[in-house]
Amino acid sequence: MTTESRNLKVVTDVVCPFCGTLCDDIKVIMDGNRIVDTLNACVIGNEKFKSAQAGHRILAPMEREDNSAEFAPVSYDYAIERAAQILANARRPLMYGWSSTSCEAQAVGNELAEVCGAVTDNTASVCHGPSVMAIQTVGAPCCTLGEVKNRADLIIYWGCNPVHAHPRHMSRYTTYPRGFFTERGFKDRTMVVVDPRPTDTAKQADIHVQVEQGKDYELLDALRTVIRGEDIPDVVGGVKKEDIKALGDLCKSRKFGVLFFGMGVTQSIGKHRNIDIAISFVADMNKYTKFTLVAMRGHYNVTGSGQVMSWQSGFPFSMDFSRGYPRYNPGETAANDILQRQECDAALVIASDPGAHFPVSSMKYYAQIPTICIDPHETPTTGISKIVIPSTIVGVEEEGNAYRMDNVPIRCRKVCDAPEGILSDKEILERILARVKEIKAEKKGQ
Ligand code: SF4
C-alpha cells in the first residue's frame, strides 16, 4: 500500500445531486478533503463530484459595470448589500432557477420573493411545467421507484431518453434490477419506448413505437380507444392500427405497468394536454390492471422546488407576488414570459443556467437590467450577470434535502469542505433577505 492509498477513505451512502434519479448508493473515495473518485455513479454523476474541485469554480464574489465585459472581485458583504439594494428597490424583480439547490435554500428564496413582490419561477416552466399543470387538473396515479423495481413487469418510456439523461434509471429501478416480484430482472419485464427517433434507449427496448413527431396526443387517444374495444383508423400518428392494438393488449395483459414520460411529450405540440390524456390512459388502464405514471424530472431537486413552493404559497412554479399575494398563470407569469415582455426591472438567478437554455432575446434583455447570479461555477448566465455570488455545492460540500422524481424526499450528504470562505445558497439568501427587510422597513419609515 502506498503512502497515498493509506490516507484514502470511502464515504458511503452518498446521494448524487445531478439528475432527478437521486441515486443514493454512491461511494466517494477521498484523500483528505480531495475527491479522488466515485463508485457506482454514472459518468455524469462522477463528473458532478469531480468537477466540484476542478478549475472552473468561482472563488470570490464579482461585480461587472454596465458596459464592461470585465468582472472585478468584491467581498461577500459588498455583493450581498448590492444584491439586497437591487432587489429591494426593484418594482417587479424576477427570481428564477432553484432546481439545483436544497429545499432549505428554496424555502428562504420563496420568502425573499414574497418580501420583494417578485415573480419567482423554477426550471419546470421550461420542462415539466405542463406535467405539473395536468396533474393539478386531473390528478395522477403515481408510485415510488421502489415499487417499480419490485413490481413492474411493463415499463414504457414515452418521449424520454434515460440512457443519456438519467443513465442509471434503467439499471437501478426499471428494466434491469431484480425485484421482490420481478426476481429474474429484465427477463420478467417488457420495455416499450415510444419516440420518433431510434434513440439509444429505444435500441434497448423490446418494442419501439416510432410515433410521428408531435402526434403523441393522437396516439394516446387511439390507445384509449382500442383498450375500450372500439375501432380506430388504419394508421394513427404514423403507427399502424394492428401495432396500436397489440400495444393495448400488452398493457392489459401485464400485472403492473408504469409510464415514464419526458420532455418529448411535455414540450411538443399539445403540451399539458398530452399529459392530461396520458394520465387518462393510465386511469383507464387501472380498470384492467395496476398502472401508474412518473415524470422523468431533470434537475435533481426541481421536484423539491415545486413541493416547497406549493407548501408555502399554494403553487408549484411561475408564481407572481407582485400584488402582495401569490398568483399563478404560466404563459403570463413564467420567467420567459416576463423576460420576453421585458416586464422585470431586476433579476436573480440561482441554481440553474437560463443563459444556456432560454431564447437569446430573453437573455439579451436579462443582460441589460441589474442582475444577480448565485452559482458555484462559471456559466453562460454568470458571464452576463452584474453581480455574481459563488456558493457551495449541495450534496457535495453541504447537506440538504431534495425530492426524487417520484416525490420521495432524500437527505443529501456532505462529503468534503467547500473552498475556504464560500457560503451556502441558504446563507447567502438569508443574508440578502435580512437586508432587504431592513431596507424596506427604512423606506416605509421615511
Ligand atoms: S443517474 Fe443521475 S443521480 Fe444517478 S449517478 Fe447518474 S447523474 Fe447521478
Side-chain angles (χ1 to χ4, degrees):
M1 192 178 273
T2 65
T3 311
E4 184 188 42
S5 63
R6 273 202 303 273
N7 293 331
L8 298 184
K9 77 170 184 191
V10 180
V11 186
T12 58
D13 304 315
V14 176
V15 178
C16 171
F18 186 80
C19 82
T21 313
L22 269 183
C23 298
D24 55 4
D25 62 342
I26 310 299
K27 295 179 180 174
V28 181
I29 302 168
M30 304 290 302
D31 179 7
N33 194 52
R34 189 171 67 88
I35 295 173
V36 177
D37 210 345
T38 64
L39 299 172
N40 294 339
C42 69
V43 179
I44 312 173
N46 180 56
E47 201 51 38
K48 170 92 189 195
F49 284 96
K50 287 180 144 178
S51 69
Q53 297 179 334
H56 41 271
R57 286 293 290 271
I58 305 169
L59 296 173
M62 305 183 289
E63 182 181 34
R64 181 171 69 85
E65 293 298 326
D66 270 357
N67 296 320
S68 167
E70 298 296 318
F71 282 95
V74 295
S75 68
Y76 265 106
D77 287 347
Y78 176 88
I80 286 168
E81 176 65 22
R82 282 281 294 129
Q85 291 288 351
I86 289 170
L87 295 173
N89 291 313
R91 285 168 60 86
R92 189 169 166 75
L94 171 68
M95 299 182 185
Y96 176 77
W98 309 112
S99 299
S100 290
T101 190
S102 65
C103 294
E104 292 85 343
Q106 292 164 351
V108 181
N110 293 338
E111 190 184 345
L112 178 64
E114 185 173 10
V115 170
C116 295
V119 173
T120 184
D121 195 9
N122 60 45
T123 57
S125 78
V126 289
C127 59
H128 274 280
S131 314
V132 177
M133 290 166 70
I135 288 167
Q136 280 183 320
T137 312
V138 290
C142 306
C143 68
T144 66
L145 293 178
E147 283 179 278
V148 176
K149 174 184 170 184
N150 286 309
R151 295 175 185 276
D153 56 356
L154 174 64
I155 308 292
I156 303 177
Y157 283 114
W158 197 310
C160 52
N161 189 7
V163 165
H164 290 285
H166 303 81
R168 297 185 71 216
H169 200 264
M170 290 161 62
S171 59
R172 247 174 95 68
Y173 296 114
T174 63
T175 313
Y176 298 112
R178 295 169 193 269
F180 195 82
F181 298 108
T182 49
E183 284 174 350
R184 298 185 310 149
F186 74 92
K187 289 185 185 150
D188 280 339
R189 309 181 203 264
T190 304
M191 178 177 155
V192 177
V193 168
V194 183
D195 202 296
R197 296 171 303 138
T199 61
D200 285 335
T201 305
K203 286 174 194 156
Q204 296 189 32
D206 298 297
I207 301 166
H208 176 204
V209 179
Q210 208 155 359
V211 62
E212 234 175 78
Q213 174 72 41
K215 296 284 186 193
D216 304 275
Y217 188 98
E218 287 83 343
L219 184 57
L220 280 159
D221 201 23
L223 255 181
R224 290 185 73 196
T225 307
V226 296
I227 285 164
R228 286 198 303 268
E230 292 168 24
D231 201 16
I232 56 170
D234 289 343
V235 178
V236 177
V239 185
K240 287 187 198 147
K241 178 171 30 179
E242 52 267 32
D243 292 340
I244 299 172
K245 279 188 165 173
L247 181 56
D249 290 342
L250 176 70
C251 292
K252 278 170 143 180
S253 70
R254 293 307 156 116
K255 293 197 186 96
F256 193 120
V258 191
L259 172 58
F260 291 99
F261 61 98
M263 285 174 62
V265 196
T266 65
Q267 296 296 332
S268 61
I269 296 166
K271 290 205 165 181
H272 65 283
R273 292 298 176 206
N274 293 338
I275 312 309
D276 192 321
I277 199 165
I279 293 169
S280 300
F281 160 69
V282 169
D284 287 355
M285 282 308 307
N286 278 282
K287 291 179 191 143
Y288 308 98
T289 182
K290 175 77 180 166
F291 228 91
T292 64
L293 93 167
V294 177
M296 298 289 281
R297 308 304 298 269
H299 289 70
Y300 77 89
N301 201 21
V302 62
T303 309
S305 178
Q307 291 274 0
V308 176
M309 279 194 189
S310 300
W311 301 334
Q312 290 182 306
S313 309
F315 302 114
F317 67 105
S318 298
M319 204 157 36
D320 182 358
F321 284 105
S322 62
R323 294 187 191 172
Y325 57 88
R327 264 186 350 115
Y328 161 77
N329 189 20
E332 178 202 347
T333 57
N336 236 323
D337 305 323
I338 301 288
L339 287 167
Q340 290 279 322
R341 293 197 304 268
Q342 306 194 350
E343 278 182 7
C344 54
D345 54 350
L348 178 145
V349 169
I350 177 168
S352 73
D353 184 14
H357 302 107
F358 274 22
V360 172
S361 53
S362 293
M363 295 318 289
K364 267 189 179 167
Y365 180 66
Y366 175 90
Q368 290 166 24
I369 58 176
T371 49
I372 307 126
C373 186
I374 302 173
D375 204 290
H377 296 283
E378 288 173 12
T379 67
T381 309
T382 61
I384 56 169
S385 300
K386 303 284 165 39
I387 307 280
V388 176
I389 307 178
S391 60
T392 55
I393 302 174
V394 176
V396 181
E397 300 159 348
E398 205 70 51
E399 283 189 356
N401 288 320
Y403 276 74
R404 206 168 60 186
M405 63 169 68
D406 55 351
N407 287 297
V408 172
I410 293 179
R411 183 81 180 156
C412 297
R413 296 191 69 175
K414 170 180 174 171
V415 296
C416 65
D417 292 331
E420 204 181 332
I422 302 293
L423 305 181
S424 69
D425 289 328
K426 180 168 177 271
E427 189 174 351
I428 294 165
L429 290 165
E430 282 172 340
R431 286 179 60 179
I432 295 174
L433 174 62
R435 189 62 192 120
V436 165
K437 284 181 176 172
E438 284 174 7
I439 297 167
K440 294 255 181 199
E442 283 162 16
K443 280 170 85 175
K444 234 181 184 172
Q446 278 170 4

